[in-house]
Amino acid sequence: MTTALAAVSARAYHDDLDWQRLHDLLVRIHGLTGRWRCWTPDRIDGFLRGCIYDESTNGSHGWRDRIRLWEAPSGQLIGAVHHEGREEAWLELDPAWPQLAPELLDWAEQAHAARHAETEPAPVLQAYAVADDAERQALLAGRGYVDRGPTEVLHGRSLADPGPVVALPDGYRIRRIDLAEPGDRRQLVDITRLTFTHATYDERAIDLEPRMLTEHEYLAAIAPNGSFAAWCGVWLSPDIGVGQFEPVGTHPDHRRRGLASAVMARGLDLMRRHGLDKAYVGTGVTNASNYLYASLGFSVAELYHQWEWRPR
């Protein structure tokens, strides 16, 4: 065991080849465990696109230094630490290498402490563990982390169940968003800014879509006047038989009309046509959208607890 660990190497994130390897690691973890112990492939795609976008538009450099990769002697990626929020550490780990978890956490803590060596008091570092991962919870508790309770939830449902029939209001229709069409690009930017208050989101983010590795489409509910009233992203991972929704949103002027349900129902049909077995969608534990997902047959698949650690 010690010999195997000694042969493992760690390094910083480099380029899009590492993006592919991170993506493949997440898919492999799910294929081996049938669980989402940490992130889904669509989320790592969106995160890395966001990092590249921020670097090119706002000069936000240094994000690669906050991602660490661990490789087996064979060269296979077996572990990673990455951030999303400013002071977060998400640990991705091949289930064949559980003994590596303390080393991943060591690096996360040391990097956090180094970033805040001159800050008094230093901010807390946030790490995560699913509710039934006793081994990860014990590791965090043993390091002095405090469990702040569940913060994120991943909902899942079988695609064998056809689910409820969702009718569109009169005058509305659903179609695929064409990112090559200027009008669709402009409307996607507008509705994203309105729904999620992404004031800096623009068409340069859409230009990064071809670099994303998970096959996906965006579906929109079109209002009678031709504008986007609601939309969702449908992500497809046929190699493991699952699909993900990200994002799901409704224009403020068109809410409470069942439009988000309608576009998601169409997305479930799309997943079935691709032969997938299960669908997932993630959100915060207190988000009102949890009621929407429950109405479409989703139930809790993974519950993520946030743990906090403060450097001494």
Side-chain angles (χ1 to χ4, degrees):
M1 189 74 69
T2 303
T3 302
L5 280 178
V8 171
S9 59
R11 63 171 176 82
Y13 176 97
H14 291 158
D15 51 31
D16 279 6
L17 180 59
D18 285 337
W19 186 339
Q20 177 75 66
R21 299 175 79 223
L22 264 172
H23 185 275
D24 293 347
L25 173 63
L26 300 183
V27 171
R28 187 169 75 251
I29 290 171
H30 185 273
L32 291 169
T33 66
R35 300 286 303 274
W36 295 115
R37 289 296 189 180
C38 212
W39 276 16
T40 51
D42 64 297
R43 188 168 177 180
I44 202 72
D45 277 353
F47 163 66
L48 290 169
R49 180 185 67 174
C51 289
I52 294 168
Y53 171 81
D54 287 341
E55 182 176 58
S56 62
T57 59
N58 305 317
S60 299
H61 301 289
W63 60 269
R64 292 175 183 82
D65 297 332
R66 298 188 60 187
I67 303 173
R68 195 74 172 168
L69 307 178
W70 278 258
E71 298 170 334
S74 65
Q76 183 181 56
L77 183 65
I78 55 174
V81 176
H82 61 82
H83 61 293
E84 185 179 48
R86 185 172 180 84
E87 305 301 344
E88 289 185 343
W90 290 87
L91 279 59
E92 315 281 0
L93 186 60
D94 187 308
W97 292 83
Q99 69 274 25
L100 198 58
E103 183 175 329
L104 270 63
L105 196 58
D106 284 344
W107 181 84
E109 292 172 357
Q110 292 163 12
H112 178 81
R115 284 195 303 273
H116 300 288
E118 305 301 322
T119 307
E120 186 61 41
V124 297
L125 174 66
Q126 297 166 338
Y128 297 82
V130 295
D132 63 347
D133 188 346
E135 188 171 354
R136 180 67 56 83
Q137 292 175 33
L139 172 62
L140 294 170
R143 297 288 189 91
Y145 286 74
V146 177
D147 184 2
R148 297 304 185 189
T151 57
E152 296 190 18
V153 57
L154 186 69
H155 304 272
R157 60 153 293 168
S158 169
L159 290 168
D161 174 7
V165 176
V166 181
L168 277 169
D170 289 345
Y172 289 84
R173 59 189 174 89
I174 295 175
R175 68 167 174 84
R176 174 181 170 273
I177 296 174
D178 183 358
L179 296 182
E181 206 283 316
D184 278 13
R185 291 166 66 97
R186 184 175 60 254
Q187 288 210 66
L188 181 58
V189 168
D190 291 344
I191 196 171
T192 301
R193 287 178 168 178
L194 279 169
T195 306
F196 297 111
T197 65
H198 290 335
T200 59
Y201 183 84
D202 58 31
E203 292 195 31
R204 288 171 291 184
I206 298 176
D207 289 337
L208 293 169
E209 289 281 335
R211 296 174 73 167
M212 302 175 81
L213 299 174
T214 309
E215 181 184 352
H216 61 287
E217 291 189 14
Y218 298 108
L219 302 175
I222 309 300
N225 66 0
S227 65
F228 287 1
W231 90 114
C232 70
V234 183
W235 302 74
L236 310 168
S237 298
D239 42 356
I240 50 175
V242 303
Q244 302 95 28
F245 287 100
E246 172 60 32
V248 179
T250 305
H251 190 291
D253 294 343
H254 297 272
R255 290 175 179 163
R256 302 189 182 279
R257 301 179 190 182
L259 297 174
S261 296
V263 293
M264 287 189 70
R266 186 68 62 85
L268 291 170
D269 288 341
L270 177 62
M271 292 178 188
R272 292 188 189 96
R273 291 199 301 273
H274 279 80
L276 306 186
D277 303 313
K278 195 158 187 178
Y280 294 94
V281 59
T283 187
V285 294
T286 60
N287 197 302
S289 62
N290 288 319
Y291 297 102
L292 162 66
Y293 305 142
S295 73
L296 292 170
F298 285 86
S299 59
V300 175
E302 307 285 2
L303 192 61
Y304 300 93
H305 283 233
Q306 183 184 84
W307 293 67
E308 292 184 347
W309 172 82
R310 188 181 298 277
R312 291 182 176 83

